Amino acid sequence: MSAGFRSSVLASAEVWFGAGELDRLGNFLTRHSVRSCLLLTGAGSYRRSGAADRLRKALTGIRVWHWRPVPPNPPAGFVAAAASALRGSGTDAVLAVGGGSVLDAGKLVAALAGQPGPPEEYLDGTRPLADVHRPLLVLVPTTGGSGSEATSIAVTTVDGRRSSLRHRLLGADLAVVDPELTWSAPAALTASCGMDVLCHAVESYWSVASTPQSRAHAAAAIPLVVDHLVPACTRPSAREALCRAALSAGRAIEITQTTAAHALSYALTTDFGVAHGHACGVFLGAVFEHNAAVTPGDTNDARGAAFVRARIGELQELLGVRTPREARVRLDGLVAATGLRTRLADLGVRAADLPRLVDAATHSPRLAGNPRRLGRAALLDLVTRLR
């Protein structure tokens, strides 16, 4: 453990939501006697969002070490280098300001800085994270999508494949969700992030690990995305709803994690460069229709096929449709209405590439959370129909 770190995870994480909330950050840092800070940001969103100007006063008098830019789907090497540099520095806080990749990188860097072994061994799963002290962790999203600010899960890319870690140290001490920071985000980014929110909520709702609490969080998010995603792409003032939905959906997947749509999305992102939320959205409608046909013989949920079908029925109500087919049309239509492509062929996927998508999905632990089993043959059929 690095002796210089004075802070550990607070007993109860704080979440600030609303326009102008970022302007209060200075008081929080003062309250926790922060004198030095590692700041992680993306390539341009930190300034474009207005966060740089608004944080200038909050960071006055604090020694700031600005580590940038965080690459999309942060590679393990980048995370390990930042964590290694932070070790022994005595830095009081890690402040991550940006999209989901930046927030995940901040979470990992903070957690890894105090670990006794090399960072690479935790990122590749060789060693489990130890419950050690770490710097104070503050997360500030500039997109309404990942929900990373509400979870103790972080994703990195190891040897070209997405890998996730889960530990209490990856949870924020403070999350500042200020919708004004999303106003400058491009329409395509807003669309992709909004689809990520919807996938989080829907997948969490039908997950084999769902609870009444997780379903309540997911149910709060779904109508917000359905009603506001398309207008939010061109009207920044509509993005507050997406930020609220992202927070609720993040709380849902903190309990359940995600399922098949996410499992299928990973290779589409890493191998074909499709933005994460967009990639998840491509598969969501098809997975919905698949799950709706669950039977006692292929259910993956210990509570039984009738339980799964009841949850699917509730999801249809939340989506404002009456049948699984209508749900698929609604979900696919949302993707298309934002201007995002919905066919795998249009995203550069050839017929010969489909087994690669299936292989990645079958190796993902997210598949185990899906309420209806999806074997290799079913997965191949699903992606073939989407091409």
Side-chain angles (χ1 to χ4, degrees):
M1 181 177 73
S2 295
F5 299 136
R6 299 180 294 106
S7 303
S8 58
V9 180
L10 299 181
S12 178
E14 293 186 43
V15 178
W16 300 351
F17 186 100
E21 286 296 291
L22 184 62
D23 301 328
R24 298 201 292 129
L25 183 59
N27 293 333
F28 178 88
L29 298 178
T30 299
R31 183 175 9 128
H32 291 283
S33 303
V34 172
R35 297 184 298 269
S36 57
C37 170
L38 175 66
L39 172 65
L40 291 104
T41 67
S45 63
Y46 182 57
R47 296 194 180 280
R48 187 173 60 246
S49 67
D53 290 336
R54 292 175 61 186
L55 281 174
R56 190 168 289 114
K57 181 178 180 181
L59 296 175
T60 298
I62 295 174
R63 180 171 58 86
V64 178
W65 183 10
H66 196 172
W67 194 282
R68 66 189 187 281
V70 176
N73 310 302
F78 174 90
V79 173
S84 297
L86 187 60
R87 286 186 170 188
S89 67
T91 299
D92 300 322
V94 171
L95 172 59
V97 184
S101 292
V102 174
L103 302 189
D104 281 0
K107 293 159 78 167
L108 290 164
V109 169
L112 291 170
Q115 298 296 320
E120 293 83 357
E121 294 185 0
Y122 302 94
L123 294 169
D124 67 13
T126 304
R127 299 176 69 163
L129 288 171
D131 201 1
V132 298
H133 288 282
R134 62 143 171 80
L136 198 72
L137 177 61
V138 179
L139 303 178
V140 183
T142 59
T143 63
S146 76
S148 181
E149 69 276 6
T151 75
S152 58
I153 306 163
V155 177
T156 185
T157 304
V158 180
D159 296 328
R161 289 286 176 261
R162 286 170 67 93
S163 175
S164 63
L165 282 77
R166 183 171 190 166
H167 194 277
R168 65 181 291 272
L169 290 181
L170 298 172
D173 296 304
L174 171 65
V176 183
V177 185
D178 189 330
E180 291 182 346
L181 297 177
T182 70
W183 287 4
S184 65
L189 176 61
T190 298
S192 178
C193 290
M195 286 309 305
D196 198 19
V197 177
L198 188 59
C199 291
H200 286 165
V202 171
E203 292 180 72
S204 176
Y205 201 96
W206 65 38
S207 166
V208 301
S210 74
T211 67
Q213 182 183 19
S214 70
R215 292 194 295 273
H217 288 314
I222 292 169
L224 288 172
V225 182
V226 170
D227 292 343
H228 296 279
L229 175 57
V230 174
C233 291
T234 55
R235 184 159 51 87
S237 60
R239 294 176 186 177
E240 179 175 346
L242 295 187
C243 292
R244 193 175 297 279
L247 189 58
S248 292
R251 287 168 170 158
I253 61 169
E254 171 68 2
I255 297 170
T256 66
Q257 302 196 59
T258 52
T259 66
H262 267 69
L264 283 161
S265 77
Y266 294 145
L268 193 56
T269 292
T270 57
D271 296 357
F272 296 92
V274 180
H276 170 65
H278 180 188
C280 294
V282 166
F283 298 108
L284 185 63
V287 174
F288 193 107
E289 203 167 27
H290 171 85
N291 288 344
V294 66
T295 70
D298 62 15
T299 182
N300 211 25
D301 193 316
R303 293 165 292 193
F307 178 88
V308 175
R309 286 194 292 268
R311 304 292 78 77
I312 295 291
E314 291 164 0
L315 281 169
Q316 289 168 188
E317 291 182 17
L318 289 166
L319 291 168
V321 300
R322 294 172 297 176
T323 68
R325 182 60 188 171
E326 288 178 1
R328 177 171 184 175
V329 170
R330 185 68 182 273
L331 293 169
D332 289 347
L334 270 176
V335 180
T338 65
L340 299 178
R341 295 174 179 174
T342 60
R343 306 300 302 182
L344 293 175
D346 294 333
L347 296 169
V349 180
R350 303 166 302 168
D353 297 320
L354 297 178
R356 197 186 339 166
L357 297 182
V358 171
D359 287 342
T362 56
H363 288 95
S364 170
R366 301 287 80 79
L367 204 58
N370 201 64
R372 185 185 180 199
R373 284 196 290 275
L374 264 167
R376 181 178 176 80
L379 285 167
L380 188 57
D381 180 67
L382 186 151
V383 298
T384 300
R385 292 173 183 272
L386 283 172
R387 191 176 177 277

